[in-house]
Amino acid sequence: HSGGRGYINSWMSVYQDVYYKYVGVQVHELGHNFGLAHSGGLNGATYTDHTCMMGNPLYSDNIGKMCYNPAKNWQLPWYGGAGAGAYKKVFDPLVDSQFFFELIGIGEYDNNPSNLPVVVKIETGTANDFFIGFNRAFGPNVENDEADNEVTLVETGNNGQSYSQSSLKAHLTQGESYTFGNFAGSGRDLVITADSINIASAPGTASVSAVLQAACASDSDCADDGIFCNGDEVCINGGCFSNGINPCGGVVAGYICIEDNDTCSQIDGPISVELTTDNYPAEISWNIKRKSDAGIVFSSPSYATKNTVYPPSTTTLSSGEYTFTISDSYGDGICCSYGNGSY
C-alpha cells in the first residue's frame, strides 16, 4: 500500500508520510487488522469498490465518514455478531425460489424498531456467495463515495466468513434489477430487484426481491445441450436437465452410444452406474472413456435433486479397456460433510 500497511488479524498498522492522518487510510488499514481483504469494483480491479473503505475511496484529513460493504459487514462481529443472525439473514434460492425483504443501512442500525436486517446473504452452495445491503448515506456512512442510497450486491469467497477479496457486482436504484445467469448451475436465472427505496423515513429502507426464474414450462422449452449420449433435455421444476436416457437403447437394443461422433455401435457387455447425490447434486458428473484414445463412450445425466438415489444409468461396452471418472466441480467430494453421496 502506498499510504500504509495493516497486518491481517493483528494489532499493528503502520503509515507512510502524511497518510497517518487520513481517516480513509486509517479505516482501510484497521480493516486489515480486523481480518478484511480488499474490495474490487465493477471493473474487476482490486481496489475500485468505492462503496467500501477496503476499496481505498477516500484520501483526506477532513472526510472519512464511510464504512464497509455487505460482504465485509457479514464477516465482522458487528450488527449482532459475525455471520447469520437477527440482522444478517440467509436466502437459498435452490430451497425457496422467491424471497422478499426490507433492509436498513448500517448508518441507522441504532434506529431500527422493526429489527430489519443490514445484510442478506445469497447462498450458492459453494464457498463463493453474494451479499446484499442498503448503502444508506447517513450517519457514519454519510460521506460514502459511490452509489449513495442504492442497493449493493457484492461477491466474496470463504462463505463470507474470513479473509477474501470481494467484488462489487452491481448497485441498484429503485426499479433496477441485476441477473445472475444460470444461478449455481441450476439452469435458471436469479433476478435481484430494488423494488423500492425510501430515504424520506427514519430509518431509510430498501425493499428488495430475489426471484429464481423458471427456465422452462415444458420439455419443448429446453434447448439441446450438445451432448449426444446423455439423452434429451427435459423440464424439471422449472430448470432444463438431460434425462440420462441412452439414445442408442443401451443393453436392450444391444448398442453403445459413441459421444465422439454421435453414433451408436454394437456392444458386448452391460454396465450400470447408480449414484446417490449429496447436498449439491449439480456439482456431480462422471464419464467412461476408452483407454485407447480417451474418447467418451458414456456420461452422466444432470443431477438436480439433493440426497437422492438416482435410477441406474445403464449401457453396454464393446470389448476393451475403459476409464471411469467421477468429478465434483467444487472439489470437496460427495461425502461426508456435505451429504452422504455415493456411487
Side-chain angles (χ1 to χ4, degrees):
H1 303 159
S2 60
R5 177 174 294 276
Y7 291 82
I8 309 302
N9 296 316
S10 169
W11 57 267
M12 185 167 65
S13 295
V14 295
Y15 301 89
Q16 177 177 298
D17 198 43
V18 297
Y19 292 103
Y20 76 92
K21 63 180 181 179
Y22 292 174
V23 178
V25 177
Q26 293 170 0
V27 178
H28 178 97
E29 303 307 341
L30 284 170
H32 288 313
N33 294 156
F34 298 150
L36 305 181
H38 291 135
S39 301
L42 298 176
N43 64 357
T46 303
Y47 296 98
T48 52
D49 174 10
H50 288 181
T51 71
C52 178
M53 279 296 206
M54 299 313 293
N56 274 353
L58 301 179
Y59 286 89
S60 172
D61 186 24
N62 300 315
I63 298 176
K65 291 183 178 180
M66 184 175 166
C67 298
Y68 302 116
N69 69 28
K72 309 305 186 190
N73 291 332
W74 180 272
Q75 179 183 339
L76 289 167
W78 306 345
Y79 320 116
Y87 304 104
K88 301 176 183 180
K89 302 298 185 181
V90 182
F91 165 52
D92 187 342
L94 300 182
V95 175
D96 299 299
S97 62
Q98 297 186 21
F99 189 49
F100 301 89
F101 52 96
E102 194 171 18
L103 295 164
I104 65 164
I106 56 89
E108 295 180 290
Y109 172 71
D110 60 350
N111 177 25
N112 187 14
S114 298
N115 294 320
L116 300 177
V118 297
V119 184
V120 169
K121 175 182 178 179
I122 304 297
E123 178 61 57
T124 66
T126 73
N128 294 318
D129 296 305
F130 303 103
F131 299 81
I132 303 176
F134 179 34
N135 195 33
R136 179 78 169 101
F138 186 88
N141 200 49
V142 72
E143 293 169 341
N144 170 73
D145 192 53
E146 180 182 11
D148 286 0
N149 303 312
E150 297 185 23
V151 173
T152 54
L153 284 68
V154 179
E155 180 181 16
T156 198
N158 293 333
N159 296 299
Q161 297 173 348
S162 58
Y163 186 89
S164 179
Q165 169 79 32
S166 65
S167 299
L168 180 66
K169 305 302 292 183
H171 48 81
L172 308 176
T173 60
Q174 180 171 296
E176 288 188 321
S177 298
Y178 181 81
T179 300
F180 294 102
N182 188 25
F183 178 78
S186 66
R188 304 164 66 182
D189 294 342
L190 178 67
V191 179
I192 309 296
T193 303
D195 296 311
S196 65
I197 294 174
N198 180 5
I199 59 174
S201 63
T205 58
S207 296
V208 182
S209 60
V211 179
L212 190 64
Q213 305 290 304
C216 57
S218 65
D219 294 350
S220 61
D221 295 330
C222 298
D224 186 83
D225 64 0
I227 302 174
F228 177 64
C229 293
N230 67 357
D232 295 328
E233 279 54 61
V234 295
C235 184
I236 302 174
N237 295 327
C240 291
F241 302 93
S242 59
N243 62 13
I245 298 175
N246 189 332
C248 299
V251 175
V252 175
Y255 284 86
I256 186 172
C257 178
I258 307 298
E259 188 68 54
D260 296 7
N261 54 12
D262 294 357
T263 60
C264 300
S265 176
Q266 286 187 312
I267 45 77
D268 293 333
I271 184 169
S272 295
V273 180
E274 181 177 290
L275 185 136
T276 302
T277 56
D278 63 0
N279 292 342
Y280 305 106
E283 298 177 357
I284 304 171
S285 63
W286 54 261
N287 63 55
I288 297 175
K289 297 180 180 179
R290 289 190 301 270
K291 191 172 182 179
S292 60
D293 61 0
I296 296 175
V297 297
F298 194 35
S299 58
S300 58
S302 297
Y303 297 113
T305 307
K306 64 182 181 181
N307 301 317
T308 298
V309 179
Y310 273 73
S313 296
T314 302
T315 189
T316 49
L317 302 176
S318 56
S319 299
E321 294 184 41
Y322 299 84
T323 301
F324 173 80
T325 304
I326 186 167
S327 302
D328 179 89
S329 62
Y330 185 64
D332 57 3
I334 64 174
C335 179
C336 297
S337 297
Y338 301 99
N340 293 314
S342 62
Y343 67 93

